[in-house]
């Protein structure tokens, strides 16, 4: 009778560090672009009047000992409470026997792997000499991106955070300054957009990234929006930049940052220069000069969750609760 291992939030936080997550996301990116592994489009169901959703994301990669599925709830109404907006779990099944082998806190995996994927992309596309990182947003992803990006660009000297609630931005900046022992400060939206790297991790449905505020040679991570009718970057920004995605197929179904400017005629799907996995594999181009503005549109992908969950299981070792499961 095989054991079912349960990995709590605390366990995942201990072991799924960026040193673990960033290499796992590079592996996931290559797997997404290889086309050899199974990753159906996510299923989303609206479940509440506040816009709450249930997401179901299955995936399988031949190189891994497990296949799995992530099930999450996203409840925007929780922003005014102490309960997380994103909650759920990842279930892993033994590839050889089909036996359920692991249940893993899904919110922590999602938070860390999203920022780790941005770090992988930033390493591919950002200039090597960047010194500043601007973050639009004050939530979980703002914190995770502030921590993850310096893993691949240790030369960053200054991180600037902006949010519509200036008190939240100032509080997060103070917390991160102490935690990272680095220069993290709250600033204006223009301060953020003028940085060498800009990470947009907002809940905004209308643009917060504007072309005329960006510095020459900037790299942009667009992370916050994930529906066809919401976007964080204006059409002029998308028309100016070299655009990369985690999955072309998913981006052309779900990414308002792409679908809205395509509908407006500002860009076409041919303006997507490639998937990050192809860049990592040497099959697709990346930055061509120090003056390019590069853009990564992140949507998230079940293979990211799967590779992340498997990396967590390996890193955690025996640090899990085991229960008998027939």
């Amino acid at each position: 009778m095989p054991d079912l291992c349960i990995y709590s939030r605390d366990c995942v936080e201990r072991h799924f560090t960026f040193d673990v997550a960033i290499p796992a996301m590079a592996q996931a990116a290559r797997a997404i672009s290889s086309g050899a592994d199974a990753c159906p489009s996510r299923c989303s169901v609206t479940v509440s009047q506040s816009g709450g959703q249930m997401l179901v994301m299955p995936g399988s990669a031949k190189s891994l000992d497990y296949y799995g599925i992530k099930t999450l709830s996203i409840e925007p109404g929780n922003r005014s409470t102490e309960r997380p907006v994103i909650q759920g779990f990842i279930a892993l099944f033994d590839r050889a026997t089909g036996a359920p082998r692991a249940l893993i806190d899904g919110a922590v995996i999602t938070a860390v792997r999203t920022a780790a994927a941005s770090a992988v992309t930033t390493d591919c596309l950002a200039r090597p000499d960047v010194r500043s990182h601007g973050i639009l947003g004050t939530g979980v992803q703002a914190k995770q991106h502030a921590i993850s990006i310096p893993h691949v660009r240790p030369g960053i000297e200054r991180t600037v955070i902006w949010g519509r609630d200036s008190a939240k931005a100032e509080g997060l900046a103070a917390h991160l300054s102490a935690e990272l022992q680095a220069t993290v400060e709250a600033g204006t939206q223009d301060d953020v957009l003028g940085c060498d790297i800009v990470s947009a991790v907002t809940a905004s449905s209308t643009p917060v990234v504007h072309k005329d505020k960006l510095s020459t040679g900037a790299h942009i991570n667009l992370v916050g929006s994930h529906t066809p009718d919401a976007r964080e970057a204006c059409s002029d920004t998308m028309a100016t930049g070299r655009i990369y995605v985690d999955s072309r197929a998913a981006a052309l179904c779900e990414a308002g940052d792409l679908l809205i400017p395509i509908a407006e005629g500002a860009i076409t799907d041919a303006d997507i220069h490639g998937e990050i996995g192809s860049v990592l594999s040497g099959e697709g181009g990346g930055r061509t000069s120090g003056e390019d503005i590069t853009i990564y549109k992140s949507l998230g992908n079940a293979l990211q969750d799967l590779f992340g969950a498997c990396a967590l299981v390996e890193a955690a070792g025996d640090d899990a609760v085991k229960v008998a499961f027939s």
Side-chain angles (χ1 to χ4, degrees), residues 215-274:
S215 63
T216 300
H219 170 69
I220 317 298
N221 297 309
L222 299 176
V223 181
S225 63
H226 56 88
T227 61
D229 59 351
R231 59 174 171 169
E232 294 181 294
C234 68
S235 294
D236 285 349
T237 298
M238 302 305 287
T240 299
R242 292 176 62 84
I243 302 168
Y244 297 84
V245 296
D246 41 21
S247 163
R248 181 185 290 269
L252 290 173
C253 288
E254 301 179 31
D257 280 294
L258 294 169
L259 295 174
I260 295 172
I262 287 174
E264 293 175 350
I267 64 172
T268 72
D269 57 3
D271 289 308
I272 300 174
H273 284 267

Side-chain angles (χ1 to χ4, degrees), residues 166-257:
S166 59
K168 284 186 177 179
E170 290 168 3
L172 179 59
H175 171 79
L176 286 167
S177 292
E179 180 176 335
L180 301 178
Q181 296 185 331
T183 301
V184 184
E185 61 195 51
T188 67
Q189 191 172 359
D190 287 357
D191 290 335
V192 168
L193 293 176
C195 289
D196 298 324
I197 299 169
V198 177
S199 295
V201 292
T202 73
S204 178
S205 60
T206 56
V208 292
V209 178
H210 303 282
K211 170 191 170 184
D212 59 340
K213 303 296 184 181
L214 297 172
S215 63
T216 300
H219 170 69
I220 317 298
N221 297 309
L222 299 176
V223 181
S225 63
H226 56 88
T227 61
D229 59 351
R231 59 174 171 169
E232 294 181 294
C234 68
S235 294
D236 285 349
T237 298
M238 302 305 287
T240 299
R242 292 176 62 84
I243 302 168
Y244 297 84
V245 296
D246 41 21
S247 163
R248 181 185 290 269
L252 290 173
C253 288
E254 301 179 31
D257 280 294

Side-chain angles (χ1 to χ4, degrees), residues 130-143:
V130 296
R131 293 293 180 267
S132 58
H133 179 203
I135 301 173
L136 298 164
T138 57
V140 170
Q141 281 305 320
K143 177 181 179 180

